[in-house]
mmCIF file of all heavy atoms in Angstrom:
data_model
loop_
_atom_site.group_PDB
_atom_site.id
_atom_site.type_symbol
_atom_site.label_atom_id
_atom_site.label_comp_id
_atom_site.label_asym_id
_atom_site.label_seq_id
_atom_site.Cartn_x
_atom_site.Cartn_y
_atom_site.Cartn_z
ATOM 1 N N MET A 12 89.969 79.884 78.584
ATOM 2 C CA MET A 12 89.041 80.085 79.704
ATOM 3 C C MET A 12 88.090 78.860 79.846
ATOM 4 O O MET A 12 87.661 78.326 78.869
ATOM 5 C CB MET A 12 88.227 81.354 79.463
ATOM 6 C CG MET A 12 87.292 81.643 80.678
ATOM 7 S SD MET A 12 86.348 83.187 80.496
ATOM 8 C CE MET A 12 87.625 84.361 80.723
ATOM 9 N N ALA A 13 87.851 78.438 81.094
ATOM 10 C CA ALA A 13 87.044 77.347 81.331
ATOM 11 C C ALA A 13 85.585 77.630 80.890
ATOM 12 O O ALA A 13 85.144 78.731 80.902
ATOM 13 C CB ALA A 13 87.031 76.933 82.871
ATOM 14 N N ARG A 15 81.361 77.138 80.981
ATOM 15 C CA ARG A 15 80.328 77.055 82.003
ATOM 16 C C ARG A 15 79.873 75.581 82.106
ATOM 17 O O ARG A 15 79.598 74.918 81.146
ATOM 18 C CB ARG A 15 79.142 77.883 81.652
ATOM 19 C CG ARG A 15 77.978 77.834 82.680
ATOM 20 C CD ARG A 15 76.922 78.883 82.381
ATOM 21 N NE ARG A 15 75.751 78.786 83.231
ATOM 22 C CZ ARG A 15 75.706 79.132 84.466
ATOM 23 N NH1 ARG A 15 76.738 79.748 85.038
ATOM 24 N NH2 ARG A 15 74.620 79.022 85.237
ATOM 25 N N GLN A 80 70.864 81.206 81.592
ATOM 26 C CA GLN A 80 72.097 80.460 81.451
ATOM 27 C C GLN A 80 73.273 81.163 82.109
ATOM 28 O O GLN A 80 74.374 81.196 81.615
ATOM 29 C CB GLN A 80 72.368 80.204 79.961
ATOM 30 C CG GLN A 80 71.487 79.261 79.245
ATOM 31 C CD GLN A 80 71.685 77.788 79.661
ATOM 32 O OE1 GLN A 80 72.768 77.243 79.480
ATOM 33 N NE2 GLN A 80 70.702 77.174 80.261
ATOM 34 N N SER A 81 72.961 81.719 83.329
ATOM 35 C CA SER A 81 74.046 82.431 84.037
ATOM 36 C C SER A 81 73.635 82.509 85.504
ATOM 37 O O SER A 81 72.584 81.968 85.926
ATOM 38 C CB SER A 81 74.268 83.811 83.433
ATOM 39 O OG SER A 81 75.338 84.436 84.002
ATOM 40 N N ASP A 82 74.471 83.204 86.345
ATOM 41 C CA ASP A 82 74.115 83.400 87.716
ATOM 42 C C ASP A 82 72.811 84.250 87.805
ATOM 43 O O ASP A 82 72.462 84.912 86.841
ATOM 44 C CB ASP A 82 75.301 84.114 88.446
ATOM 45 C CG ASP A 82 75.517 85.496 87.921
ATOM 46 O OD1 ASP A 82 74.912 86.437 88.449
ATOM 47 O OD2 ASP A 82 76.322 85.613 86.952
ATOM 48 N N PRO A 83 72.160 84.252 88.965
ATOM 49 C CA PRO A 83 70.887 84.984 89.066
ATOM 50 C C PRO A 83 70.948 86.478 88.694
ATOM 51 O O PRO A 83 70.029 86.995 88.039
ATOM 52 C CB PRO A 83 70.472 84.753 90.525
ATOM 53 C CG PRO A 83 71.201 83.502 90.940
ATOM 54 C CD PRO A 83 72.481 83.506 90.195
ATOM 55 N N VAL A 84 71.992 87.169 89.163
ATOM 56 C CA VAL A 84 72.062 88.586 88.872
ATOM 57 C C VAL A 84 72.134 88.811 87.343
ATOM 58 O O VAL A 84 71.410 89.617 86.777
ATOM 59 C CB VAL A 84 73.287 89.196 89.557
ATOM 60 C CG1 VAL A 84 73.503 90.678 89.111
ATOM 61 C CG2 VAL A 84 73.130 89.173 91.057
ATOM 62 N N THR A 85 73.082 88.079 86.667
ATOM 63 C CA THR A 85 73.248 88.211 85.229
ATOM 64 C C THR A 85 71.974 87.764 84.418
ATOM 65 O O THR A 85 71.624 88.340 83.485
ATOM 66 C CB THR A 85 74.434 87.424 84.737
ATOM 67 O OG1 THR A 85 75.604 87.859 85.484
ATOM 68 C CG2 THR A 85 74.727 87.670 83.293
ATOM 69 N N SER A 86 71.274 86.693 84.926
ATOM 70 C CA SER A 86 70.080 86.229 84.315
ATOM 71 C C SER A 86 69.051 87.266 84.232
ATOM 72 O O SER A 86 68.413 87.464 83.205
ATOM 73 C CB SER A 86 69.583 84.995 85.064
ATOM 74 O OG SER A 86 70.305 83.854 84.830
ATOM 75 N N LYS A 88 69.500 90.535 84.478
ATOM 76 C CA LYS A 88 69.981 91.659 83.605
ATOM 77 C C LYS A 88 69.780 91.310 82.148
ATOM 78 O O LYS A 88 69.421 92.157 81.319
ATOM 79 C CB LYS A 88 71.504 91.884 83.927
ATOM 80 C CG LYS A 88 71.739 92.660 85.189
ATOM 81 C CD LYS A 88 73.231 92.968 85.363
ATOM 82 C CE LYS A 88 73.431 93.789 86.592
ATOM 83 N NZ LYS A 88 74.880 94.143 86.800
ATOM 84 N N TYR A 97 67.461 92.815 88.426
ATOM 85 C CA TYR A 97 68.691 92.116 88.877
ATOM 86 C C TYR A 97 68.838 92.128 90.396
ATOM 87 O O TYR A 97 69.584 91.301 90.947
ATOM 88 C CB TYR A 97 69.886 92.663 88.192
ATOM 89 C CG TYR A 97 70.239 94.067 88.658
ATOM 90 C CD1 TYR A 97 71.079 94.362 89.720
ATOM 91 C CD2 TYR A 97 69.717 95.223 88.001
ATOM 92 C CE1 TYR A 97 71.370 95.621 90.160
ATOM 93 C CE2 TYR A 97 70.015 96.506 88.383
ATOM 94 C CZ TYR A 97 70.840 96.695 89.496
ATOM 95 O OH TYR A 97 71.150 97.956 89.896
ATOM 96 N N GLY A 100 68.363 88.918 92.153
ATOM 97 C CA GLY A 100 69.515 88.022 92.280
ATOM 98 C C GLY A 100 70.387 88.334 93.496
ATOM 99 O O GLY A 100 70.797 87.441 94.198
ATOM 100 N N TRP A 101 70.554 89.662 93.779
ATOM 101 C CA TRP A 101 71.337 90.037 94.934
ATOM 102 C C TRP A 101 70.572 89.645 96.197
ATOM 103 O O TRP A 101 71.209 89.237 97.196
ATOM 104 C CB TRP A 101 71.684 91.499 94.876
ATOM 105 C CG TRP A 101 72.683 91.887 93.919
ATOM 106 C CD1 TRP A 101 72.574 92.628 92.795
ATOM 107 C CD2 TRP A 101 74.061 91.478 93.924
ATOM 108 N NE1 TRP A 101 73.724 92.726 92.101
ATOM 109 C CE2 TRP A 101 74.667 92.071 92.778
ATOM 110 C CE3 TRP A 101 74.852 90.738 94.783
ATOM 111 C CZ2 TRP A 101 76.032 91.931 92.497
ATOM 112 C CZ3 TRP A 101 76.201 90.515 94.451
ATOM 113 C CH2 TRP A 101 76.786 91.139 93.355
ATOM 114 N N LEU A 104 71.163 86.041 96.938
ATOM 115 C CA LEU A 104 72.473 85.889 97.525
ATOM 116 C C LEU A 104 72.434 86.201 99.044
ATOM 117 O O LEU A 104 72.954 85.395 99.820
ATOM 118 C CB LEU A 104 73.460 86.763 96.813
ATOM 119 C CG LEU A 104 74.868 86.929 97.483
ATOM 120 C CD1 LEU A 104 75.594 85.590 97.448
ATOM 121 C CD2 LEU A 104 75.679 87.975 96.818
ATOM 122 N N TYR A 250 72.061 75.748 84.805
ATOM 123 C CA TYR A 250 73.042 74.699 84.342
ATOM 124 C C TYR A 250 72.310 73.622 83.531
ATOM 125 O O TYR A 250 72.842 72.559 83.271
ATOM 126 C CB TYR A 250 73.712 74.066 85.523
ATOM 127 C CG TYR A 250 74.520 75.053 86.354
ATOM 128 C CD1 TYR A 250 74.165 75.393 87.630
ATOM 129 C CD2 TYR A 250 75.734 75.626 85.840
ATOM 130 C CE1 TYR A 250 74.932 76.278 88.402
ATOM 131 C CE2 TYR A 250 76.463 76.484 86.592
ATOM 132 C CZ TYR A 250 76.079 76.815 87.872
ATOM 133 O OH TYR A 250 76.816 77.706 88.623
ATOM 134 N N ILE A 336 74.709 79.506 95.060
ATOM 135 C CA ILE A 336 74.257 80.853 94.683
ATOM 136 C C ILE A 336 75.392 81.874 94.806
ATOM 137 O O ILE A 336 75.726 82.610 93.907
ATOM 138 C CB ILE A 336 73.055 81.302 95.476
ATOM 139 C CG1 ILE A 336 71.895 80.338 95.294
ATOM 140 C CG2 ILE A 336 72.671 82.679 95.068
ATOM 141 C CD1 ILE A 336 70.728 80.653 96.157
ATOM 142 N N SER A 337 76.075 81.851 95.968
ATOM 143 C CA SER A 337 77.160 82.829 96.235
ATOM 144 C C SER A 337 78.287 82.590 95.259
ATOM 145 O O SER A 337 78.872 83.567 94.730
ATOM 146 C CB SER A 337 77.648 82.638 97.657
ATOM 147 O OG SER A 337 76.600 82.906 98.611
ATOM 148 N N VAL A 338 78.640 81.303 95.070
ATOM 149 C CA VAL A 338 79.750 80.988 94.177
ATOM 150 C C VAL A 338 79.430 81.415 92.717
ATOM 151 O O VAL A 338 80.255 82.019 92.059
ATOM 152 C CB VAL A 338 80.071 79.531 94.259
ATOM 153 C CG1 VAL A 338 81.101 79.103 93.157
ATOM 154 C CG2 VAL A 338 80.590 79.141 95.683
ATOM 155 N N SER A 339 78.225 81.108 92.248
ATOM 156 C CA SER A 339 77.894 81.448 90.854
ATOM 157 C C SER A 339 77.898 82.938 90.654
ATOM 158 O O SER A 339 78.365 83.401 89.607
ATOM 159 C CB SER A 339 76.512 80.876 90.500
ATOM 160 O OG SER A 339 75.496 81.495 91.135
ATOM 161 N N ILE A 340 77.388 83.701 91.573
ATOM 162 C CA ILE A 340 77.419 85.173 91.397
ATOM 163 C C ILE A 340 78.827 85.700 91.561
ATOM 164 O O ILE A 340 79.237 86.635 90.892
ATOM 165 C CB ILE A 340 76.453 85.845 92.456
ATOM 166 C CG1 ILE A 340 75.030 85.501 92.162
ATOM 167 C CG2 ILE A 340 76.666 87.335 92.460
ATOM 168 C CD1 ILE A 340 74.044 86.007 93.144
ATOM 169 N N GLY A 341 79.621 85.119 92.458
ATOM 170 C CA GLY A 341 80.968 85.568 92.730
ATOM 171 C C GLY A 341 81.894 85.364 91.533
ATOM 172 O O GLY A 341 82.704 86.199 91.257
ATOM 173 N N ILE A 342 81.759 84.292 90.880
ATOM 174 C CA ILE A 342 82.716 83.978 89.767
ATOM 175 C C ILE A 342 82.215 84.445 88.402
ATOM 176 O O ILE A 342 82.994 84.598 87.468
ATOM 177 C CB ILE A 342 83.004 82.427 89.642
ATOM 178 C CG1 ILE A 342 81.761 81.616 89.309
ATOM 179 C CG2 ILE A 342 83.634 81.951 90.983
ATOM 180 C CD1 ILE A 342 81.990 80.136 89.129
ATOM 181 N N ARG A 343 80.923 84.737 88.294
ATOM 182 C CA ARG A 343 80.324 85.096 86.984
ATOM 183 C C ARG A 343 80.794 84.187 85.886
ATOM 184 O O ARG A 343 80.458 83.002 85.898
ATOM 185 C CB ARG A 343 80.663 86.584 86.670
ATOM 186 C CG ARG A 343 80.120 87.587 87.673
ATOM 187 C CD ARG A 343 78.590 87.606 87.622
ATOM 188 N NE ARG A 343 77.964 88.391 88.653
ATOM 189 C CZ ARG A 343 77.738 89.693 88.546
ATOM 190 N NH1 ARG A 343 77.986 90.350 87.413
ATOM 191 N NH2 ARG A 343 77.153 90.386 89.517
ATOM 192 N N SER A 344 81.533 84.664 84.941
ATOM 193 C CA SER A 344 82.020 83.807 83.812
ATOM 194 C C SER A 344 83.452 83.317 84.044
ATOM 195 O O SER A 344 83.981 82.607 83.197
ATOM 196 C CB SER A 344 81.907 84.565 82.511
ATOM 197 O OG SER A 344 82.733 85.716 82.535
ATOM 198 N N ASN A 345 84.054 83.578 85.161
ATOM 199 C CA ASN A 345 85.384 83.175 85.457
ATOM 200 C C ASN A 345 85.326 81.805 86.171
ATOM 201 O O ASN A 345 85.593 81.686 87.355
ATOM 202 C CB ASN A 345 86.125 84.139 86.331
ATOM 203 C CG ASN A 345 86.299 85.499 85.655
ATOM 204 O OD1 ASN A 345 86.616 85.575 84.436
ATOM 205 N ND2 ASN A 345 86.099 86.560 86.409
ATOM 206 N N TYR A 346 85.034 80.790 85.402
ATOM 207 C CA TYR A 346 84.684 79.479 85.982
ATOM 208 C C TYR A 346 85.878 78.750 86.636
ATOM 209 O O TYR A 346 85.746 77.869 87.498
ATOM 210 C CB TYR A 346 84.055 78.542 84.958
ATOM 211 C CG TYR A 346 82.893 79.215 84.260
ATOM 212 C CD1 TYR A 346 82.878 79.373 82.840
ATOM 213 C CD2 TYR A 346 81.780 79.653 84.953
ATOM 214 C CE1 TYR A 346 81.826 80.001 82.173
ATOM 215 C CE2 TYR A 346 80.786 80.300 84.342
ATOM 216 C CZ TYR A 346 80.757 80.493 82.950
ATOM 217 O OH TYR A 346 79.681 81.106 82.329
ATOM 218 N N GLU A 347 87.087 79.194 86.255
ATOM 219 C CA GLU A 347 88.258 78.604 86.891
ATOM 220 C C GLU A 347 88.471 79.047 88.289
ATOM 221 O O GLU A 347 89.303 78.488 89.033
ATOM 222 C CB GLU A 347 89.517 78.992 85.995
ATOM 223 C CG GLU A 347 89.898 80.417 85.996
ATOM 224 C CD GLU A 347 89.136 81.275 84.991
ATOM 225 O OE1 GLU A 347 88.285 80.637 84.272
ATOM 226 O OE2 GLU A 347 89.445 82.459 84.829
ATOM 227 N N LEU A 348 87.702 80.069 88.694
ATOM 228 C CA LEU A 348 87.808 80.568 90.110
ATOM 229 C C LEU A 348 86.884 79.793 91.057
ATOM 230 O O LEU A 348 86.790 80.149 92.195
ATOM 231 C CB LEU A 348 87.485 82.090 90.136
ATOM 232 C CG LEU A 348 88.416 82.994 89.384
ATOM 233 C CD1 LEU A 348 87.860 84.412 89.492
ATOM 234 C CD2 LEU A 348 89.824 82.929 89.930
ATOM 235 N N ARG A 349 86.156 78.808 90.579
ATOM 236 C CA ARG A 349 85.171 78.092 91.382
ATOM 237 C C ARG A 349 85.726 77.632 92.736
ATOM 238 O O ARG A 349 85.144 77.814 93.819
ATOM 239 C CB ARG A 349 84.580 76.927 90.630
ATOM 240 C CG ARG A 349 83.740 75.934 91.533
ATOM 241 C CD ARG A 349 83.030 74.955 90.747
ATOM 242 N NE ARG A 349 81.874 75.533 90.102
ATOM 243 C CZ ARG A 349 80.673 75.659 90.639
ATOM 244 N NH1 ARG A 349 80.483 75.274 91.896
ATOM 245 N NH2 ARG A 349 79.658 76.113 90.013
ATOM 246 N N ALA A 352 86.540 80.509 95.054
ATOM 247 C CA ALA A 352 85.332 81.196 95.522
ATOM 248 C C ALA A 352 84.579 80.376 96.501
ATOM 249 O O ALA A 352 84.007 80.865 97.464
ATOM 250 C CB ALA A 352 84.474 81.509 94.289
ATOM 251 N N TYR A 356 83.708 82.200 100.066
ATOM 252 C CA TYR A 356 82.328 82.397 100.465
ATOM 253 C C TYR A 356 81.899 81.435 101.571
ATOM 254 O O TYR A 356 81.099 81.847 102.480
ATOM 255 C CB TYR A 356 81.403 82.259 99.288
ATOM 256 C CG TYR A 356 81.502 83.450 98.281
ATOM 257 C CD1 TYR A 356 82.088 83.300 97.052
ATOM 258 C CD2 TYR A 356 81.088 84.754 98.659
ATOM 259 C CE1 TYR A 356 82.235 84.367 96.191
ATOM 260 C CE2 TYR A 356 81.208 85.804 97.811
ATOM 261 C CZ TYR A 356 81.788 85.593 96.582
ATOM 262 O OH TYR A 356 81.917 86.629 95.714
#
Side-chain angles (χ1 to χ4, degrees):
M12 182 179 287
R15 180 172 173 79
Q80 289 289 298
S81 188
D82 65 89
V84 173
T85 306
S86 284
K88 284 184 175 180
Y97 68 90
W101 287 114
L104 167 67
Y250 298 111
I336 299 174
S337 300
V338 172
S339 70
I340 292 176
I342 64 177
R343 296 296 173 88
S344 59
N345 298 318
Y346 307 121
E347 66 276 3
L348 296 178
R349 167 174 283 277
Y356 288 110

